[in-house]
Amino acid sequence: MLDAPIEEITATAYTVPTDTEEADGTLAWTSTTLVLVRVAAGGRVGTGWTYGPVACADVVTDILAGEVLGCDAFATGRAYERMYRSVRNAGRPGVAACAISAVDVALWDLAARLLGLPLHRLLGAVHDRVPVYGSGGFTTYDADRLTAQLEYWVHVQEIPRVKIKIGQDRGAATDRDLARIHLSRNSIGDDAELFVDANGAYGVKQAIRVASTAADARVRWFEEPVSSDDLDGLRRVREAVDADVTAGEYGYDLTYFRRMCAAGAVDCLQADVSRCGGITEWRRVAAVAASHHLDISGHCAPHLHVHVAAATPNLRHLEWFHDHVRIEALFFDGDLDPTGGFLRPDPDAPGHGLSLRVGDIDRYRVHGPHPNTAGKD
C-alpha cells in the first residue's frame, strides 16, 4: 500500500494584466489574480488554483496548511472536512472558500499523479469529451472587437455556442445592450447558440422587457438577469422568457445551491470549482442539481473544471472564458484545444495533465514564495 503523507504546501499569488480594459454589467477590471497551490507527497506535486484576491494565499498558509500537512494524500474527503471546519470563525463564503477550492484541486491532482491516472478516470469518467461555449464579449468591446472575437470562436474554432456581457452601467444602457445582442446574432449566423450574461444588472421587469425586445435574436441562455441573491426574481424571469435562466457562480457552499434549486430559480445550475469548494464540493453540488432534474454548467476556469466535468453525468457544458483561457495557456503546458466545441481530457497524462511553467510566470508573482518543485508534476 502506498504511504504518502502530505509533506509540503505552498501558495503563491500572481496578477496578470488583461489584454484590454474589461467590464460586464456591474464591474470593470484591468487584471486577474490567480492563487496557485502546490501540494507535495511521495515524490509528486499536485497543483490547484483559484481566481481570487491575494488574501486567499494567506488563508492557505495560515489556516489550511496546518489541517492538511501530514494527512494521507489519498484521504481527500478527510482533508476537505478538516479545512471546512477550520474556517468556521474566519467565515467560509468568499476568500476562505476559494482557498479551500485551490487546495482541494491540488490534492485530487496529487492523488491521481501518485496513481499514474488521469484525474477524470480516478473520478469515474462519464464523458470522453466536454462541450464548451466561448465567453467574453465584454461591454468595453467596440463593435469590431466583439465581432472578431465571436467570429473566431464560431467560424474558425467551430464552437457552436457563445456568450456576451450585457447590462452595461448596471442596466442603464439597454439600447446598447440590445444593439450588441443583434450584432452578435448577425456575426455568428443562424446556427450557433447565443448566450447573454447581465451579471445581475437588471430588475425583474427590465430583464423581461430586454428578452422580449431581443426575441428575434433567439437568445438561448440568460445568465443572471437579476441578482443571484433574488431567487424569487430569477424564478419570475424564468417563467416569463424563452431563454434558459441560469445562475450559481457565486455559490460557496452546498446550502446556497440547494436553496437556488428548491426555489425553481434556474433552468441550469452554474457552479465554479475555484469557489464552491473544489472538486469535492462540485460533485455534491452536481448531485443536488440532479436531484432537482437540472443540468450543471462549469463557470470559467475551463482547465480547472474539465476532468470533474467529464465525470459528471448531468453536465451541460463549460465556459471557455477569455481571461482564464489566456492565463491558463500562459501558466501551463498541456492546455487543451476547444476546436469543434469540445474539450477532451488527455487520456494518458496523469492528474489534470498540466505542467506548471515555473520560470515563465515569475514576472507575474505578487505574493508568496517561488512554487515548490520538489517532485514531479
Side-chain angles (χ1 to χ4, degrees):
M1 184 175 180
L2 185 61
D3 183 19
I6 303 298
E7 301 162 355
E8 185 180 7
I9 301 176
T10 61
T12 307
Y14 302 84
T15 296
V16 181
T18 56
D19 54 6
T20 188
E21 183 180 359
E22 296 174 355
D24 56 35
T26 56
L27 191 69
W29 61 95
T30 57
S31 64
T32 299
T33 298
L34 178 149
V35 176
L36 183 87
V37 172
R38 302 269 276 177
V39 181
R44 295 290 185 271
V45 176
T47 303
W49 66 96
T50 186
Y51 293 99
V54 170
C56 294
D58 291 330
V59 173
V60 172
T61 55
D62 296 349
I63 302 176
L64 305 182
E67 302 297 324
V68 175
L69 284 169
C71 285
D72 179 0
F74 298 105
T76 52
R78 182 185 306 150
Y80 179 83
E81 284 300 307
R82 293 185 65 170
M83 290 191 292
Y84 180 91
R85 293 169 184 170
S86 74
V87 298
R88 187 198 69 178
N89 290 350
R92 184 176 185 274
V95 170
C98 290
I100 290 171
S101 300
V103 178
D104 183 79
V105 172
L107 290 170
W108 277 103
D109 181 46
L110 173 62
R113 290 176 189 272
L114 286 166
L115 295 171
L117 287 174
L119 182 52
H120 64 289
R121 290 189 60 200
L122 178 61
L123 294 169
V126 178
H127 314 287
D128 293 327
R129 60 183 191 172
V130 175
V132 297
Y133 65 89
S135 173
F138 304 109
T139 58
T140 47
Y141 283 5
D142 62 19
D144 289 342
R145 190 176 184 100
L146 175 63
T147 297
Q149 186 179 64
L150 297 178
E151 289 182 347
Y152 178 74
W153 282 329
V154 173
H155 302 308
V156 178
Q157 292 190 311
E158 299 180 334
I159 299 174
R161 55 197 79 83
V162 293
K163 186 174 82 179
I164 67 165
K165 300 289 191 179
I166 60 172
Q168 182 176 339
D169 300 332
R170 295 187 174 272
T174 52
D175 286 348
R176 184 170 188 263
D177 292 339
L178 290 164
R180 295 176 75 251
I181 290 171
H182 286 99
L183 173 65
S184 299
R185 170 52 69 193
N186 290 336
S187 299
I188 66 177
D190 293 333
D191 295 331
E193 295 179 6
L194 178 59
F195 298 177
V196 299
D197 182 0
N199 287 96
Y202 297 140
V204 171
K205 289 190 176 181
Q206 184 184 18
I208 294 169
R209 287 194 297 270
V210 168
S212 176
T213 306
D216 58 340
R218 292 178 290 110
V219 171
R220 176 69 178 273
W221 171 277
F222 199 168
E223 186 173 328
E224 283 194 309
V226 300
S227 169
S228 57
D229 292 329
D230 183 3
L231 298 182
D232 184 64
L234 286 170
R235 178 190 56 78
R236 289 165 61 197
V237 176
R238 179 182 175 226
E239 290 173 348
V241 304
D242 289 334
D244 283 356
V245 169
T246 70
E249 67 186 72
Y250 302 115
Y252 295 105
D253 60 70
L254 198 63
T255 302
Y256 169 99
F257 295 101
R258 180 187 63 79
R259 288 173 178 158
M260 184 167 280
C261 293
V266 294
D267 294 290
C268 180
L269 185 67
Q270 289 180 289
D272 188 328
V273 164
S274 78
R275 294 174 178 169
C276 74
I279 289 169
T280 297
E281 193 77 337
W282 162 281
R283 300 174 84 186
R284 300 168 72 191
V285 172
V288 168
S291 74
H292 287 85
H293 306 284
L294 295 175
D295 290 340
I296 187 169
S297 176
H299 172 260
C300 292
H303 291 90
L304 202 64
H305 284 87
V306 63
H307 284 268
V308 71
T312 301
N314 58 319
L315 177 80
R316 184 171 295 190
H317 41 47
L318 298 182
E319 184 171 11
W320 187 251
F321 180 57
H322 174 72
D323 285 358
H324 295 174
V325 168
R326 284 184 62 242
I327 292 171
E328 290 164 10
L330 281 172
F331 274 56
F332 301 104
D333 289 319
D335 56 306
L336 301 175
D337 181 357
T339 298
F342 295 93
L343 297 181
R344 294 165 177 81
D346 191 321
D348 301 312
H352 50 47
L354 301 174
S355 298
L356 185 66
R357 294 176 175 168
V358 178
D360 294 346
I361 62 175
D362 201 55
R363 61 192 172 117
Y364 300 114
R365 180 161 57 103
V366 294
H367 181 75
H370 194 68
N372 65 40
T373 54
K376 297 180 179 180
D377 279 354

